[in-house]
Amino acid sequence: MLQKRTITSIWALALLFICLYLGLYWFAFLVALISLIGSWEFYRLSGVGGAVLGLGLIFSALFALRPLLPGDLVVGLIALAVGGSLAGLFAFKKPFPTWAPLLAGMFYPGWLLGYLVALMQVGWGWAVFALFTTFACDTSAYFVGRALGHRPLAPGISPGKTREGAEGGFLGAILAAYLLDLLLGLPLSSTQAAYLGAAVGVLGQVGDLAESWLKRGAGAKDAGAILPGHGGVLDRMDSVAFTAPLVYYLMTGLF
C-alpha cells in the first residue's frame, strides 16, 4: 500500500511540476482535467448518471478554467449551468432530486479547484504554496496518525482518522507554509506564513472530512481507483478544493 502510494505520488508530482514549468495554460489544462475526473467520481458517488452526467462534466471543466475567461462569459456560464441542467433533467426524464447533485458536481470540484488557476495567474509560487502546504498537511496527518493515533477524531464519519493525526497535519501545514515562504520568496512575514499555514491546516482537514462524509453516505471506501494507493482524484484533491479558495482570498486580502 505504502509502495503504491509512493510510486503514484512520484509520477503525479512529476506531471504537476512539468505543467507548472510549461506555464499557465498547461497548468490550467491539468486543473480542468482533474476537475473533470473529480466530477465524474462525484457523480458516481451521488448516483447521477446518463446523458445529464456529460453536461455536468463539461461545466465542471469550464468552471475550472473560468479565471481565463471574461467575467461576462463566466456569468453566462453560471446561468447556463443552472438553467441548462434543469432543462436537461426534464428532457431526459430524470427525477427532480437529481438537480442538486448535478449542480454540486459542477461547482465541486470544478469551481473550487479553479482557484488554483487564479493563484497561478497571480504567480506560480502562490499555486505551489497552496498545493504543497495542503499536501504537507495531508501527509503529516497520515503518518502521525499511523504512528501515534489512538483517539478517534470523527468516528461517525471517518473511523480511521485520529486527533493525533489531525494535530500532526495542522503542525505540518504550519511548518510547510513557513519553509515554502522562505524557498519561494513570497511577500509574507514569518507570522503571516504561520497563520496562513494554520488556516490551511484546519480547512484542509475539514475538506477531507467533508469528502469522507460524502463517501460514507454513498457506502464507498474511495471515490475512485485512478490513483493507486490514494484512491480517486477526489481522495487526493478534497483538501485542496477547500484550501485553494482560502489561500486565494487571504492572499488577495493581504496584498
Side-chain angles (χ1 to χ4, degrees):
M1 179 69 171
L2 184 58
Q3 184 181 23
K4 281 184 181 178
R5 191 180 180 93
T6 303
I7 292 172
T8 301
S9 297
I10 290 172
W11 70 254
L13 287 174
L15 178 62
L16 174 61
F17 278 119
I18 289 171
C19 290
L20 282 166
Y21 175 77
L22 291 175
L24 174 62
Y25 292 104
W26 281 94
F27 181 76
F29 175 77
L30 178 64
V31 173
L33 181 62
I34 290 171
S35 299
L36 190 148
I37 297 171
S39 293
W40 180 73
E41 292 173 348
F42 177 86
Y43 288 138
R44 284 183 66 243
L45 290 175
S46 60
V48 174
V52 293
L53 183 147
L55 185 69
L57 297 181
I58 291 169
F59 276 100
S60 176
L62 288 173
F63 284 152
L65 297 173
R66 74 183 187 284
L68 306 178
L69 305 176
D72 291 343
L73 181 56
V74 174
V75 173
L77 283 175
I78 294 172
L80 196 57
V82 174
S85 58
L86 188 58
L89 292 181
F90 281 113
F92 294 106
K93 296 182 173 56
K94 294 288 182 182
F96 181 74
T98 304
W99 193 36
L102 180 59
L103 279 179
M106 299 176 190
F107 287 89
Y108 167 79
W111 187 275
L112 296 181
L113 290 180
Y115 282 100
L116 287 174
V117 179
L119 286 167
M120 185 73 172
Q121 278 183 313
V122 178
W124 67 271
W126 285 108
V128 170
F129 180 91
L131 284 167
F132 283 87
T133 304
T134 310
F135 292 161
C137 177
D138 290 344
T139 304
S140 301
Y142 177 77
F143 284 108
V144 172
R146 282 172 61 98
L148 305 174
H150 62 278
R151 293 178 298 163
L153 176 65
I157 299 175
S158 182
K161 291 184 172 57
T162 63
R163 295 185 187 183
E164 290 78 8
E167 290 161 3
F170 179 74
L171 294 176
I174 294 175
L175 178 61
Y178 178 74
L179 294 176
L180 286 167
D181 180 38
L182 292 178
L183 290 172
L184 299 172
L186 298 175
L188 291 171
S189 68
S190 56
T191 303
Q192 288 173 325
Y195 281 139
L196 203 49
V200 169
V202 172
L203 201 60
Q205 298 194 64
V206 171
D208 190 33
L209 284 173
E211 203 242 345
S212 295
W213 176 72
L214 289 173
K215 288 187 295 187
R216 192 170 184 81
K221 181 179 180 297
D222 294 319
I226 196 171
L227 299 173
H230 294 264
V233 163
L234 281 183
D235 295 302
R236 182 68 275 173
M237 300 300 286
D238 51 2
S239 303
V240 178
F242 277 57
T243 59
L246 172 79
V247 172
Y248 177 80
Y249 284 115
L250 288 180
M251 180 271 295
T252 52
L254 287 172
F255 306 105

